[in-house]
């Protein structure tokens, strides 16, 4: 499933580019996400997703597969699995930045694959949820780039299998509430369709009244 989103940040493009390449800095801006470890160019992390009364936790990896500074284009590959084995999630996320009057426009293209309970949402709902998530991400990134104080991660290093593994301690995130975001998206779609629904209902009532005459 392919999703497309855009957002704007009121900071110069170079500053935003450098921030987006710093996964430890920006991951806390993604609802439900936290990094736990870095080994080479691979990061390990978790994602907490709430669906009704059930909270699912995904554990997986994320890495940059391409960073083109000249084109301001970065490609991230993320893979995760429900810790209880009830589903998987993977995504290739391509972000392209462009400067506009001192601010930065970010275009995000996501090729996503889901299995398990999270896959029950249709494309339209997933697109709306992705838009809300990136809206929250952009607001958080704006605050970070504006110089507001932030809690720093506490890295710990150790040697493991000849590769330097650095433990990352980030605050426990609030789970991403897919149910709440999905309900909001459905409500908004119904609200937008209300005039058409009302007109259709009125037409059906008129036909019924004419048939009874």
């Amino acid at each position: 499933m392919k999703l497309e989103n855009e957002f704007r940040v009121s900071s110069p493009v170079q500053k935003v580019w450098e921030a987006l390449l710093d996964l430890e800095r920006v991951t806390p801006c993604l609802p439900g996400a936290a990094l736990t470890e870095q080994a080479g160019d691979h990061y390990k992390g978790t994602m907490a997703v709430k669906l009704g009364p059930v909270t699912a936790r995904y554990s997986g990896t994320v890495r940059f597969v391409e960073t083109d500074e000249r084109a301001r284009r970065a490609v991230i590959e993320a893979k995760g699995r429900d810790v209880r084995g009830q589903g998987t999630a993977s995504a290739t996320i391509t972000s392209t930045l462009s400067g506009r009057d001192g601010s930065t426009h970010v275009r995000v293209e996501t090729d996503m694959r889901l299995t398990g309970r999270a896959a029950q949402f249709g494309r339209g709902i997933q697109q709306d949820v992705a838009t809300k998530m990136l809206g929250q991400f952009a607001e958080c990134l704006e605050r970070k780039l504006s110089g507001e104080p932030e809690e720093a991660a506490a890295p710990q290093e150790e040697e493991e299998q000849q590769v330097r593994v650095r433990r990352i301690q980030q605050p426990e995130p609030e789970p991403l509430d897919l149910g709440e975001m999905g309900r909001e998206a459905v409500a908004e779609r119904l609200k937008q369709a209300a005039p058409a629904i009302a007109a259709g209902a009125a037409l059906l009532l008129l036909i019924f009244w004419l048939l009874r005459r």
Side-chain angles (χ1 to χ4, degrees):
M1 181 177 299
K2 294 187 177 181
L3 306 174
E4 297 182 358
N5 297 91
E6 299 179 354
F7 64 89
R8 177 181 171 277
V9 182
S10 301
S11 295
V13 65
Q14 181 62 28
K15 189 174 183 179
V16 177
W17 171 256
E18 293 172 357
L20 290 179
L21 293 185
D22 187 346
L23 290 181
E24 291 181 48
R25 186 180 184 189
V26 300
T27 294
C29 285
L30 189 64
L35 292 179
T36 59
E37 181 180 301
Q38 178 189 9
D41 61 352
H42 285 72
Y43 287 83
K44 290 184 178 180
T46 61
M47 183 79 176
V49 178
K50 183 179 179 182
L51 189 57
V54 178
T55 298
R57 295 189 179 277
Y58 289 83
S59 177
T61 62
V62 60
R63 70 185 182 100
F64 284 101
V65 295
E66 179 186 336
T67 54
D68 186 340
E69 185 170 6
R70 183 181 295 274
R72 295 286 195 270
R73 182 175 182 269
V75 182
I76 292 177
E77 180 184 74
K79 298 179 180 179
R81 179 179 296 277
D82 186 299
V83 295
R84 292 174 296 184
Q86 297 180 356
T88 62
S90 62
T92 301
I93 306 166
T94 303
S95 301
T96 307
L97 284 62
S98 58
R100 297 183 182 180
D101 300 323
S103 63
T104 302
H105 176 265
V106 183
R107 177 178 175 81
V108 182
E109 298 173 305
T110 304
D111 187 356
M112 183 167 57
R113 295 162 294 283
L114 298 174
T115 65
R117 296 189 66 185
Q120 68 181 269
F121 291 94
R123 185 187 186 284
I125 300 300
Q126 291 190 28
Q127 177 71 64
D128 289 339
V129 169
T131 299
K132 292 180 183 297
M133 285 180 60
L134 282 178
Q136 295 179 21
F137 177 87
E139 291 174 1
C140 176
L141 181 61
E142 190 87 61
R143 291 194 299 270
K144 286 182 177 290
L145 294 180
S146 69
E148 290 187 13
E150 55 188 81
E151 184 176 347
Q156 302 174 2
E157 294 187 4
E158 62 183 62
E159 295 297 327
E160 186 175 290
Q161 297 180 353
Q162 307 302 316
V163 177
R164 174 167 291 181
V165 176
R166 188 163 57 87
R167 309 298 182 185
I168 302 171
Q169 296 180 352
Q170 293 188 334
E172 183 71 20
E174 286 292 325
L176 168 63
D177 194 335
L178 284 181
E180 184 61 31
M181 285 192 174
R183 281 194 295 272
E184 292 177 3
V186 170
E188 183 61 28
R189 286 171 177 265
L190 288 175
K191 180 179 177 182
Q192 294 173 359
I197 294 173
L203 180 59
L204 287 175
L205 285 174
L206 178 59
I207 293 173
F208 179 72
W209 180 74
L210 289 172
L211 289 174
R212 293 190 60 184
R213 293 187 61 184

